Amino acid sequence: MLRRIVFGLLAVTSLTLVGCAHSPQQLSPQPKLNAQFAAVGRGQPVVVRVVDGRPSPTLGTRGGMYPETSAVSVSSADVLPKLQAQAEAAVRLLGFTPSSSGSGATLTVTLADLKYQSPKEGLYVTEATISSTFRADVQNNGRNYSGRYAASLDQRFGMAPNQETNTRLVSDVLSDALTRLFQDQTIGNTLAQ
């Protein structure tokens, strides 16, 4: 009888501890440009490359009692094709023709950083800071231009955010930083020279 009671208490304790842990989340963000751009090109071809310069696909953890089990990640294989499509769309809106190869102008967009930070202490996830940074490198006729573009978002939660919520938040931050990159008029002007 005593053995059953002890076993029952252990089972309930185990379930309680598991309830405080968060499972890992593999996000699939959908970055979208959210501004209009002035066309400065005349259809010139531009080689557009998008690369992942992050040291790891892991953005951070969602915190809680066991942050080591609550990693938030975005794989290169998932996000790079979407960023490539958005970068090519932006280049078209700027009046250029995206090209896969050539000896003319090149634009390299590097996802330099993508972070998800939650407080490490406490049982519950109550807030997160999500940030993203892109680097742009333009080369055209011996002229070079580089810039960095960042966006961040501080979000408070009533309860631990699910995968859908985190996907939306990461999408928003990526979209804002990418839009800032293409709003830099020097990029378009350098490509147009």
Side-chain angles (χ1 to χ4, degrees):
M1 179 72 173
L2 182 59
R3 194 177 296 161
R4 273 195 216 153
I5 291 173
V6 170
F7 181 74
L9 285 174
L10 285 174
V12 169
T13 303
S14 297
L15 288 173
T16 303
L17 290 175
V18 168
C20 295
H22 301 295
S23 57
Q25 291 182 350
Q26 176 75 36
L27 307 183
S28 180
Q30 303 291 328
K32 298 273 187 248
L33 296 167
N34 49 31
Q36 298 296 315
F37 306 103
V40 294
R42 296 176 308 282
Q44 304 99 307
V46 173
V47 176
V48 181
R49 293 188 191 101
V50 178
V51 296
D52 191 350
R54 301 175 296 158
S56 164
T58 302
L59 282 59
T61 68
R62 295 190 300 143
M65 184 177 270
Y66 304 103
E68 63 277 0
T69 66
S70 64
V72 178
S73 58
V74 172
S75 75
S76 293
D78 178 78
V79 76
L80 285 185
K82 298 170 188 173
L83 292 172
Q84 180 78 32
Q86 291 299 304
E88 289 178 5
V91 165
R92 281 189 194 91
L93 291 171
L94 289 170
F96 303 98
T97 304
S99 169
S100 57
S101 63
S103 58
T106 63
L107 168 63
T108 303
V109 176
T110 303
L111 176 57
D113 202 15
L114 188 56
K115 289 184 180 171
Y116 187 104
Q117 297 172 299
S118 286
K120 301 225 182 311
E121 65 281 343
L123 294 178
Y124 304 105
V125 179
T126 57
E127 61 184 298
T129 300
I130 301 126
S131 61
S132 130
T133 305
F134 285 98
R135 189 179 76 240
D137 294 292
V138 183
Q139 295 177 324
N140 188 20
N141 289 329
R143 292 184 176 88
N144 296 322
Y145 176 74
S146 294
R148 289 179 74 84
Y149 312 86
S152 66
L153 171 68
D154 294 315
Q155 182 72 44
R156 298 187 72 78
F157 307 105
M159 55 193 296
N162 61 21
Q163 188 159 335
E164 182 181 342
T165 299
N166 280 333
T167 297
R168 179 177 50 78
L169 295 172
V170 171
S171 297
D172 289 348
V173 169
L174 283 170
S175 299
D176 287 349
L178 192 64
T179 299
R180 288 178 186 180
L181 185 155
F182 285 103
Q183 284 178 322
D184 182 352
Q185 294 179 351
T186 310
I187 291 177
N189 292 337
T190 305
L191 291 171
Q193 289 173 351

